[in-house]
Amino acid sequence: MSYFDNINDKFFNPFCCKNREIYFECISLLIEKSKEIPVLYETDARQCMIIYLQNCVYAIETEDIGDEVSHTKSPQENASSILRYFRNCGWITPKEIGRSGDNIASVSAHCRKLIDAIHRIFDQDVNSAITNHIFSIYEILKTSFGKDSARAIRPYSSELGSGTLTSSFTNISNYSFLCKLFVRMPVP
């Protein structure tokens, strides 16, 4: 079974569009907004995106994403078009009417995981974290096998048993996996 059987065929399309920075910021805002309130309704999501689009630092380029998004349209029209596009791509769950009678605009679990992974990759300095782990491993091994070291008495049981060395290897492995995953991500 392929990983891509579980997601929409258009799931990665927003990253290939002219306005990908805007879409990324909009979905990030919707994820943050959904953490603040129990249920994110479509009107709340649209209002959140309208405020963002009014204060947007990126110039909206004209493109057809099912509906046209353009700098000549109002933020209200663009927010509605983007919200429909997100739902069409599987970033927002299918329409479901909530208790208030308005449609619920829940961000899909796959989208949350993808955006979270992108934030983790680009928001922290992975290179320095990997370098720190490598130096940590080097220091542990150097002192374990060095002369006159307390660790040299029982290097295998003291270091591998405590988990210090294995946790450093695990962290490097996780960072490497995230980088490899992001590089191998197919573009539709």
Side-chain angles (χ1 to χ4, degrees):
M1 180 175 173
S2 172
Y3 292 114
F4 299 102
D5 290 342
N6 296 331
I7 60 172
N8 189 316
D9 290 340
K10 300 175 186 174
F11 188 77
F12 295 102
N13 286 4
F15 291 121
C16 302
C17 296
K18 295 177 187 176
N19 295 313
R20 64 183 159 264
E21 293 94 358
I22 293 171
Y23 302 147
F24 180 76
E25 291 297 326
C26 284
I27 200 66
S28 295
L29 285 171
L30 293 181
I31 290 170
E32 289 304 313
K33 184 73 172 175
S34 68
K35 291 177 184 176
E36 296 172 7
I37 54 179
V39 177
L40 181 64
Y41 288 102
E42 206 168 284
T43 53
D44 297 329
R46 189 176 297 110
Q47 190 60 36
C48 181
M49 290 182 4
I50 288 169
I51 292 169
Y52 170 74
L53 292 171
Q54 288 172 339
N55 301 315
C56 186
V57 295
Y58 301 108
I60 298 175
E61 295 187 40
T62 303
E63 68 179 332
D64 186 17
I65 54 172
D67 294 334
E68 186 176 299
V69 175
S70 171
H71 65 280
T72 59
K73 289 190 171 187
S74 70
Q76 292 81 4
E77 292 171 312
N78 284 331
S80 295
S81 295
I82 292 170
L83 201 56
R84 280 191 295 276
Y85 182 54
F86 285 172
R87 185 161 275 144
N88 201 16
C89 293
W91 283 18
I92 303 285
T93 57
K95 284 190 176 184
E96 177 185 347
I97 298 177
R99 290 184 181 173
S100 70
D102 191 14
N103 289 324
I104 296 174
S106 297
V107 179
S108 71
H110 288 99
C111 181
R112 285 179 185 273
K113 289 178 184 177
L114 176 67
I115 299 301
D116 183 48
I118 291 171
H119 278 293
R120 279 189 287 156
I121 290 169
F122 292 111
D123 288 350
Q124 59 176 255
D125 190 6
V126 175
N127 292 332
S128 65
I130 290 174
T131 304
N132 289 341
H133 286 297
I134 290 171
F135 280 130
S136 172
I137 291 169
Y138 170 75
E139 287 297 321
I140 290 169
L141 291 175
K142 181 181 174 187
T143 57
S144 293
F145 297 109
K147 272 185 159 182
D148 301 327
S149 171
R151 291 182 174 172
I153 298 168
R154 299 177 75 194
Y156 300 108
S157 62
S158 65
E159 293 311 318
L160 294 178
S162 68
T164 311
L165 196 57
T166 53
S167 69
S168 293
F169 279 121
T170 303
N171 289 335
I172 288 176
S173 174
N174 289 340
Y175 288 127
S176 300
F177 176 72
L178 282 175
C179 291
K180 183 170 56 171
L181 177 73
F182 192 70
V183 168
R184 288 186 179 178
M185 191 179 299
V187 178

